[in-house]
Amino acid sequence: MAKRPAIFLDRDGVLNDVVWRDGKPASPRTPEELVVADGAAAAVAAFRAAGYLTFVVTNQPDVRRGKMTAKALDAIHAALVAQVPVDEVRACLHDTADGCACRKPRAGMLLDLSARWNIDLGASWMIGDMDRDVDCGRSAGVGTVLLDRPYNSRSGADVVLPDLTRAAAWILETQSASRAPALQD
């Protein structure tokens, strides 16, 4: 079976709006706090139409920290997938101190998904809103897109773009250009 390219998407700040708590970007803790980002469904549909597998890869330590329940997290993911169909949602519930392989910036979630879904990492992309998303993508050997947000460094990614709609257009345009036949003299 041929390997397929994939788009790995961070959740908060990419597919849905962040929730601001104490002046810091945070994750929604209830389905009622989930606000799907403008253009997210259309961007994911465009990726899927172009042959990409699509995955959500998200750090969600609030369950471990006792700030939300696993049931609430499952409900948030169900609400998200109902609006933005993806192939799979993968969440790391560990806290930073746990030292797991799946918590971004480590690449464990991407590598596990790659093995399970037969993904061509060299033709795949990680789209995130935090530097740790870029580091994760680089560690997995995928292209990286950082969405420009007031809370990130805006550096280190292959490209920095304002939103998921523009990220999808850029990736799909880049893919199309790289697959175009060479002109003969």
Side-chain angles (χ1 to χ4, degrees):
M1 183 162 93
K3 289 191 174 221
R4 292 183 58 193
I7 302 294
F8 300 99
L9 300 144
D10 180 47
R11 193 188 80 179
D12 306 317
V14 176
L15 291 174
N16 60 270
D17 296 342
V18 296
V19 176
W20 289 91
R21 290 192 174 83
D22 300 322
K24 296 179 184 174
S27 301
R29 293 183 182 153
T30 66
E32 294 76 27
E33 287 184 331
L34 178 72
V35 177
V36 173
D38 288 342
V44 169
F47 285 133
R48 293 174 66 114
Y52 284 93
L53 295 166
T54 55
F55 301 101
V56 177
V57 288
T58 181
N59 290 346
Q60 293 299 319
D62 281 354
V63 173
R64 182 158 177 79
R65 294 173 183 166
K67 296 180 178 182
M68 69 183 297
T69 66
K71 185 176 178 180
L73 182 63
D74 290 344
I76 290 167
H77 288 156
L80 177 65
V81 171
Q83 296 176 66
V84 184
V86 295
D87 291 296
E88 188 173 330
V89 175
R90 182 68 63 92
C92 171
L93 305 183
H94 299 107
D95 208 338
T96 306
D98 293 333
C100 67
C102 56
R103 184 170 172 80
K104 294 180 288 179
R106 292 187 177 104
M109 288 189 282
L110 278 64
L111 297 176
D112 287 347
L113 287 165
S114 174
R116 285 188 53 237
W117 288 81
N118 199 31
I119 293 171
D120 178 354
L121 290 172
S124 299
W125 293 88
M126 173 73 206
I127 303 172
D129 68 326
M130 302 287 274
D131 298 335
R132 67 177 158 251
D133 299 317
V134 172
D135 293 342
C136 172
R138 287 197 181 286
S139 292
V142 304
T144 57
V145 177
L146 183 67
L147 300 186
D148 189 6
R149 302 290 186 257
Y151 49 82
N152 65 31
S153 71
R154 297 167 197 79
S155 67
D158 292 313
V159 65
V160 178
L161 296 165
D163 55 45
L164 186 55
T165 299
R166 289 195 184 100
W170 187 87
I171 289 171
L172 296 174
E173 191 174 292
T174 301
Q175 168 200 331
S176 177
S178 69
R179 291 186 180 168
L183 296 176
Q184 299 293 323
D185 289 335

